[in-house]
Amino acid sequence: MVWMTDADKSCIYVNQATLAFTGTTLPQMLGHGWRDTVHPDDLVPLEVNFEHQHDDRSSLRAEVRNRRHDGEYRWMQVRGQPLFDPDGTFRGTIGLSLDITEAKRHESELARMVTHDNLTGLPNRALLESLIEAAIENARDEGRKVPVLTFGVDRFQTINETQGHGAGDALLGEIGRRISLIRHGHEIAGHLSGNRFVMIGEAGASTENAYRAAARLLDLCRTPFRLNDVPHELSASIGISIYPDDGADPGELMRAAEAALQTAKQLGGNHFAFFDRDLHGHAKNRFDLETDLRRAIPAGELLLHFQPKVSLPDYRLVGFEALVRWHHPERGMLPPVTFINLAEECGLIGPLTRWVFEAVGRQQRDWIDAGLSPVPIAVNVSPREFLGDLLQDHLAAYQQFELPERLMEIEITESTMITDFDRVCRIVQGLTDTGIKVAMDDFGTGYSSLASLNRLPISTLKIDRAFTKDVDWDRASRAVASAIISLAAELGLDVVAEGVETREQLNVLRTLKCTVVQGFLTGRPVPADEAAELLRHPAPVPTARGLI
Ligand code: C2E
Ligand code: CA
Ligand code: CA
């Protein structure tokens, strides 16, 4: 595009190409400025450039975005030459603008290819090293710690061999996608090579951020992976190193994290391990945690948090979900993902579940005795415990407090039904007969057939937060949520949407006629005393929080 402006920067000439670009006519252009076609962010640099030409007679050079007639901003390389009268008066500028959008795109694509991995689109080793370097530099002065986590799928080699390399690659791509979805705040995810991913955690005063990140990474395998169109339950191992404790530079930190990952694998997978300098990768971490967990129950280190379930559209408190926490004397408050698996593997899930049932019973009793009107509390029961012989004992631990059965709910997951569906039906029926409701947790992520739902006498479906998360903008998520809600209505079941974090999500769920929500928006999991406050104020839960 060729153009000419006067000393006031108004157009005095433009060529046909300019008119075609702007979608205007010559009379519309002449005498007018061009400011409104320039991207607001590029205006100041361009103005500065213009001013400079009169002062030092330099030519104009700039790269700016110009708005095309269809509204799209295109990158332009702008070159201008100032025009002066013989007496030196500035008269204007004659210039050329060249559309370089494609070249720009290529350039950034190239930069991305050099620094990002093809398979996953995540930062590659080279970029990761400089990102760790940068994170270290930021943390150094403030004396903070930076966690570096490596992540690998367990038995990846077998998958590659039995399912084919195509499936292996697709799996890595999917993991890359999931890792970028679970990233929080300033965390950085990358792909080293093959079955090796890296996450740089957020810097902090303690190693707590490492636990949180590891918990989320382990959680990432919770939903089965489709390989050659068949769902596969996979697990992963995680190794963690901490700057400055385990290394001073990216290389050392990544080596330490890799050594820790080997430790985690030796523990049988589905674990995370911290790098241990003294033991050079011995199973200390798991061993410690196991020993600690055995002691935790008698030592009273377990506690419950309660997350409110809130009805729509009237926002009443209709129940709590009991979520277990472990207040570890050295490691601080640990979330359940860090120890439920361990508890299952070392035979502690029975005592743990029993403890939860008893703690819920005692809590209800305390609240009732204190004159509060109770709401049902849901307990999570893992498949093994639900199908095992101890369920009656667990219930007895609750029933010793002589509470109405309707105050107890049990949440099970779809994987409970994989083994012996008829048996599950009988157990659920038995519970329902005594007045204990059973909810299907994380519904939509597993692969229970819809036909079987019909035969299973459960009372509630809980929509997994994977669908709630994008329900306000993603059509597919909304379709799934909507289908589950109608299905529940048809089958006469309650439906709870989990993980509601924003008003937008809430609004969509309300229009879809969802009847109960549970999520950070209407209430995080809170300790017993805060939960009691909610019981004490039967007003709509979120009024105080400005929700309605
Ligand atoms: P779950 O049953 O799906 O529990 C809900 C989890 O989602 C809780 O994590 C809760 O804090 C979190 N959550 C709730 N609202 C939101 C939200 O708006 N946004 C996000 N991002 N997250 C939200 P938590 O407490 O870490 O529990 C994790 C899992 O551990 C539970 O998942 C459950 O499967 C298991 N679990 C917890 N307590 C027990 C227990 O006593 N026994 C057994 N067997 N498993 C338990
Ligand atoms: Ca649950
Ligand atoms: Ca859930």
Side-chain angles (χ1 to χ4, degrees):
M1 303 189 298
V2 183
W3 46 266
M4 224 162 155
T5 51
D6 62 14
D8 297 327
K9 290 179 271 186
S10 292
C11 278
I12 49 176
Y13 169 79
V14 292
N15 71 344
Q16 200 54 45
T18 314
L19 295 176
F21 181 85
T22 54
T24 51
T25 60
L26 199 56
Q28 284 175 316
M29 288 294 289
L30 293 186
H32 290 289
W34 35 260
R35 270 187 204 79
D36 52 338
T37 71
V38 178
H39 194 284
D41 294 349
D42 301 339
L43 208 48
V44 174
L46 187 61
E47 298 266 11
V48 170
N49 241 312
F50 253 102
E51 302 304 331
H52 270 275
Q53 346 166 54
H54 342 169
D55 306 343
D56 50 16
R57 298 193 157 220
S58 63
S59 53
L60 173 71
R61 287 168 164 272
E63 277 184 8
V64 299
R65 279 158 290 180
N66 267 133
R67 200 177 57 240
R68 199 163 60 182
H69 58 83
D70 59 358
E72 186 184 331
Y73 278 103
R74 306 283 295 177
W75 275 103
M76 293 286 165
Q77 185 179 62
V78 183
R79 294 282 179 271
Q81 198 61 43
L83 304 169
F84 296 93
D85 274 349
D87 65 357
T89 322
F90 175 66
R91 277 293 176 199
T93 313
I94 180 167
L96 277 172
S97 297
L98 186 68
D99 188 334
I100 53 164
T101 311
E102 293 312 316
K104 273 258 183 215
R105 204 169 281 160
H106 266 117
E107 199 177 284
S108 60
E109 180 60 17
L110 260 180
R112 217 187 56 80
M113 272 165 59
V114 178
T115 52
H116 287 71
D117 163 65
N118 255 335
L119 202 58
T120 59
L122 293 174
N124 62 12
R125 180 186 293 269
L127 180 57
L128 271 172
E129 282 183 0
S130 38
L131 289 169
I132 297 178
E133 189 75 61
I136 291 177
E137 237 158 67
N138 281 333
R140 186 177 295 139
D141 300 338
E142 296 152 27
R144 291 192 296 169
K145 295 177 185 289
V146 182
V148 174
L149 297 91
T150 53
F151 172 100
V153 180
D154 296 331
R155 289 169 283 280
F156 182 73
Q157 203 44 42
T158 321
I159 296 168
N160 249 340
E161 280 159 14
T162 55
Q163 305 286 321
H165 289 274
D169 281 358
L171 173 62
L172 295 178
E174 172 63 11
I175 289 179
R177 199 183 66 85
R178 292 191 188 181
I179 291 189
S180 30
L181 285 178
I182 56 141
R183 235 168 20 88
H184 277 191
H186 296 293
E187 289 172 352
I188 293 162
H191 184 208
L192 277 187
S193 64
N195 183 26
R196 236 7 135 255
F197 293 82
V198 169
M199 184 176 267
I200 311 173
E202 286 198 271
S206 68
T207 52
E208 193 162 326
N209 288 342
Y211 279 106
R212 292 184 194 288
R216 264 179 285 120
L217 284 171
L218 280 182
D219 218 17
L220 166 152
C221 292
R222 215 164 51 113
T223 315
F225 291 86
R226 294 196 86 81
L227 301 176
N228 298 323
D229 246 18
V230 178
H232 283 255
E233 302 255 8
L234 300 178
S235 61
S237 300
I238 293 160
I240 307 169
S241 65
I242 305 283
Y243 169 86
D245 311 354
D246 305 326
D249 62 49
E252 279 181 29
L253 288 166
M254 288 214 262
R255 275 192 299 280
E258 178 63 30
L261 184 104
Q262 293 310 326
T263 311
K265 285 212 186 283
Q266 283 160 20
L267 299 173
N270 201 14
H271 274 97
F272 64 84
F274 280 83
F275 176 67
D276 194 311
R277 192 174 291 280
D278 305 331
L279 289 181
H280 286 289
H282 272 274
K284 178 168 185 298
N285 201 275
R286 150 91 188 252
F287 192 71
D288 273 1
L289 209 58
E290 190 177 322
T291 320
D292 291 356
L293 188 59
R294 278 185 200 288
R295 205 205 46 225
I297 302 176
E301 288 168 10
L302 295 187
L303 64 150
L304 290 179
H305 278 183
F306 300 89
Q307 185 172 33
K309 299 181 189 175
V310 172
S311 63
L312 292 182
D314 55 352
Y315 301 104
R316 301 269 156 188
L317 177 70
V318 292
F320 285 118
E321 177 173 358
L323 296 158
V324 68
R325 304 284 181 263
W326 177 9
H327 194 182
H328 190 283
E330 285 127 41
R331 301 177 195 220
M333 197 69 88
L334 299 181
V337 257
T338 58
F339 59 87
I340 293 286
N341 277 335
L342 179 67
E344 286 191 350
E345 277 165 36
C346 59
L348 286 169
I349 190 71
L352 186 145
T353 310
R354 188 197 146 86
W355 180 88
V356 173
F357 272 89
E358 184 167 347
V360 165
R362 178 170 296 119
Q363 190 61 72
Q364 288 284 40
R365 178 44 59 207
D366 282 358
W367 281 338
I368 292 172
D369 291 350
L372 299 172
S373 9
V375 291
I377 300 181
V379 172
N380 292 283
V381 178
S382 60
R384 209 176 294 181
E385 284 309 294
F386 191 76
L387 297 167
D389 308 326
L390 291 174
L391 190 61
Q392 285 311 320
D393 291 357
H394 298 331
L395 283 168
Y398 168 81
Q399 278 152 342
Q400 63 175 306
F401 297 97
E402 298 180 330
L403 298 156
E405 255 73 26
R406 60 164 191 89
L407 292 182
M408 160 64 55
E409 276 180 26
I410 288 179
E411 295 190 5
I412 57 174
T413 53
E414 287 170 275
S415 49
T416 311
M417 306 197 302
I418 289 178
T419 38
D420 186 348
F421 181 68
D422 290 329
R423 186 169 154 69
V424 178
C425 280
R426 280 198 303 277
I427 300 174
V428 174
Q429 188 64 58
L431 291 167
T432 314
D433 289 346
T434 59
I436 297 174
K437 288 182 173 177
V438 180
M440 181 64 70
D441 205 353
D442 307 336
F443 186 70
T445 58
Y447 33 93
S448 58
S449 85
L450 295 179
S452 61
L453 261 191
N454 194 15
R455 287 174 45 212
L456 194 66
I458 51 168
S459 67
T460 310
L461 292 180
K462 297 191 79 180
I463 306 177
D464 193 73
R465 69 168 183 270
F467 306 111
T468 311
K469 198 162 61 65
D470 304 324
V471 79
D472 52 330
W473 63 272
D474 179 50
R475 286 180 54 185
S477 299
R478 186 183 309 204
V480 173
S482 167
I484 298 178
I485 293 166
S486 339
L487 177 72
E490 287 291 320
L491 295 175
L493 306 177
D494 293 328
V495 59
V496 181
E498 290 190 297
V500 180
E501 293 183 354
T502 69
R503 286 184 72 138
E504 288 75 24
Q505 293 163 351
L506 183 80
N507 287 337
V508 171
L509 289 163
R510 197 166 38 193
T511 34
L512 294 179
K513 303 228 157 40
C514 180
T515 49
V516 181
V517 289
Q518 177 185 352
F520 291 171
L521 182 71
T522 47
R524 291 185 173 253
V526 289
D529 51 338
E530 288 180 48
E533 277 308 306
L534 290 170
L535 285 173
R536 211 161 276 139
H537 300 289
V541 173
T543 31
R545 320 170 90 238
L547 265 173
I548 48 173

